[in-house]
Amino acid sequence: MSNVFYMPPVTLMGPNAIQSLGAELASKELKKALIVTDGVLIEVGLVSKLTDELTAHNLDYVIYDGVQPNPTEKNIEDGLALLAESKADFVISFGGGSSHDTAKGIALVAANGGHIRDYSKGVHLSKKPQLPLVTVNTTAGTASEMTVFAIITNQQDQTKYPVVDKHFTPIIAVNDSELMVAMPKFLTATTGMDALTHAVEAYVSTAATPITDASAIKAIELIVNNLEAVVNNGQDRAARDAMQYGEYLAGMAFSNASLGYVHSMAHQLGGVYDLSHGLCNAILLAEVSRFNAKQVPERFVDIAKAMGIDTTAMTQEQAVNAALEAIDGLSAAVGTKQRLADLGVTEDKLAFMAQNALNDACSLTNPRKASLEEIVNIFKARM
């Protein structure tokens, strides 16, 4: 079986990378951008770094700032309406995963028609490339700035669903670590644990390849070595820079190898309880990994080594347990090891969420197949 590897043709990375964006755009004959972001990023002045760059290169823009933390179908519909009204010819997302996922939905539907939900019934369903998309990233977590994934919330039935489409790949991605310096401590922690989850799930995925393996292992190293430091000191430029490389590598891995039950289950927690995606991943990662390690223990030995654990004198079982303990230990150190019950999750919703998790596209590449009862029990273990 042949494999396909997707990633943006151009990525601008490192401190002040956004200052190179205008010149890149000027060569593409684009005229007016729909900027997709949220009100907070406007209030704190970060969006002005983008708009100043556009203005300096004579590019017009209009701003849609209605993005929600768990982006909804309505966010996409509202953005589409402003896109049509403004006659913008390309889309720029500015922010974290919520902004990027909303922008992806807008750009894809604008070019292909229909409803974003139409593209969730399989993978790579769109017929035409989306409207040109540029992604400017301000968090080191989701890697949505470069992946073929978008996660959308259907508020009517309390579900979150992934859309996987090769046309989501942006023409330019920007990872400027200076835009991440102002990230609050808890957001730094949850997005960082999200990135670690991407790397771990991609490494144990049934669709993993040598390219995704290399990306995932290096991502784990970078994240484990830098996340706690940057949570404790958000001004640590070296750690910020290392984290943006770590999250990007994790994105390279999971965008092509896909994910597993951590994400399938986290999507349901987000849909029903509107909880932070990164926090849900952090809570579930060690427990799902415990379940998966029975199927692919050798993969978790590799993960232990990537986390800096000396496994030389350990049995395979000891090395696996050390990796699981290290994952939980990092989550505790950065403040994301929490109980679902404390976040408002109730047991009467577990079977509903477990069934939807099994139907989630991310479940297809989990290395060990679970029953409904086993998914419920994983939820219960973190209650």
Side-chain angles (χ1 to χ4, degrees):
M1 184 182 75
S2 63
N3 293 292
V4 181
F5 194 86
Y6 298 107
M7 64 183 297
V10 176
T11 302
L12 308 175
M13 302 194 76
N16 301 310
I18 196 170
Q19 294 175 11
S20 300
L21 178 59
E24 287 284 343
L25 291 174
S27 68
K28 297 187 181 298
E29 299 183 354
L30 299 168
K31 292 180 172 57
K32 186 173 185 178
L34 172 70
I35 297 174
V36 178
T37 189
D38 64 66
V40 172
L41 292 175
I42 294 175
E43 288 175 15
V44 299
L46 272 185
V47 177
S48 65
K49 294 183 181 297
L50 169 61
T51 56
D52 288 350
E53 180 70 6
L54 295 179
T55 299
H57 289 82
N58 301 312
L59 289 161
D60 197 5
Y61 61 86
V62 63
I63 297 176
Y64 170 67
D65 63 359
V67 173
Q68 296 172 236
N70 285 305
T72 66
E73 294 174 338
K74 188 175 187 303
N75 289 157
I76 293 171
E77 291 160 8
D78 290 347
L80 281 164
L82 182 55
L83 179 80
E85 177 188 331
S86 65
K87 295 183 171 56
D89 61 342
F90 71 112
V91 181
I92 303 179
S93 57
F94 188 96
S98 299
S99 294
H100 304 320
D101 287 359
T102 303
K104 287 175 175 177
I106 293 167
L108 194 77
V109 175
N112 287 273
H115 190 281
I116 188 59
R117 206 180 310 136
D118 299 336
Y119 303 95
S120 69
K121 310 303 182 185
V123 298
H124 309 311
L125 295 181
S126 67
K127 303 298 183 186
K128 297 185 291 186
Q130 66 185 358
L131 213 61
L133 173 66
V134 176
T135 54
V136 182
N137 197 34
T138 64
T139 66
T142 69
S144 185
E145 79 277 6
M146 58 81 61
T147 69
V148 298
F149 281 75
I151 310 300
I152 309 301
T153 299
N154 179 340
Q155 290 180 303
Q156 292 182 330
D157 63 8
Q158 294 187 311
T159 59
K160 278 178 88 169
Y161 56 86
V163 181
V164 184
D165 200 293
K166 62 186 178 183
H167 288 138
F168 276 154
T169 309
I171 59 170
I172 303 171
V174 181
N175 265 32
D176 183 340
S177 53
E178 282 299 305
L179 297 177
M180 303 174 187
V181 170
M183 257 201 299
K185 182 174 183 175
F186 192 63
L187 182 61
T188 299
T190 56
T191 54
M193 288 301 295
D194 188 18
L196 179 63
T197 304
H198 294 154
V200 170
E201 289 213 287
Y203 192 68
V204 303
S205 164
T206 58
T209 69
I211 295 176
T212 62
D213 284 351
S215 300
I217 287 296
K218 186 61 180 179
I220 291 169
E221 291 177 6
L222 286 167
I223 294 163
V224 168
N225 289 333
N226 291 281
L227 179 56
E228 192 172 351
V230 81
V231 167
N232 291 334
N233 177 14
Q235 299 294 316
D236 186 333
R237 257 62 176 191
R240 285 282 186 206
D241 205 43
M243 281 299 300
Q244 58 112 17
Y245 278 103
E247 75 95 34
Y248 193 91
L249 283 163
M252 288 171 59
F254 91 83
S255 187
N256 294 282
S258 196
L259 296 160
Y261 288 152
V262 180
H263 273 76
S264 300
M265 296 170 70
H267 293 161
Q268 312 320 313
L269 291 166
V272 174
Y273 294 100
D274 200 29
L275 296 174
S276 156
H277 176 66
L279 177 59
C280 294
N281 281 341
I283 292 168
L284 294 168
L285 179 56
E287 201 61 39
V288 173
S289 295
R290 193 179 312 280
F291 176 84
N292 285 336
K294 292 181 170 60
Q295 185 70 29
V296 286
E298 70 286 351
R299 290 254 138 183
F300 284 94
V301 174
D302 293 342
I303 289 168
K305 294 174 183 176
M307 297 185 79
I309 298 166
D310 183 359
T311 63
T312 306
M314 293 183 181
T315 65
Q316 184 181 74
E317 182 180 3
Q318 289 171 332
V320 168
N321 287 335
L324 301 179
E325 289 171 7
I327 290 169
D328 254 351
L330 179 60
S331 186
V334 300
T336 57
K337 188 180 179 183
Q338 301 183 24
R339 308 304 301 184
L340 291 174
D342 294 338
L343 300 173
V345 178
T346 56
E347 292 206 4
D348 62 300
K349 294 283 190 180
L350 296 186
F352 169 76
M353 292 192 296
Q355 185 59 65
N356 285 335
L358 288 172
N359 294 335
D360 189 295
C362 291
S363 292
L364 295 173
T365 46
N366 198 79
R368 183 183 175 199
K369 299 310 172 190
S371 65
L372 180 69
E373 183 181 6
E374 285 171 325
I375 296 294
V376 169
N377 286 338
I378 294 172
F379 276 127
K380 284 183 176 179
R382 291 295 171 168
M383 288 290 285

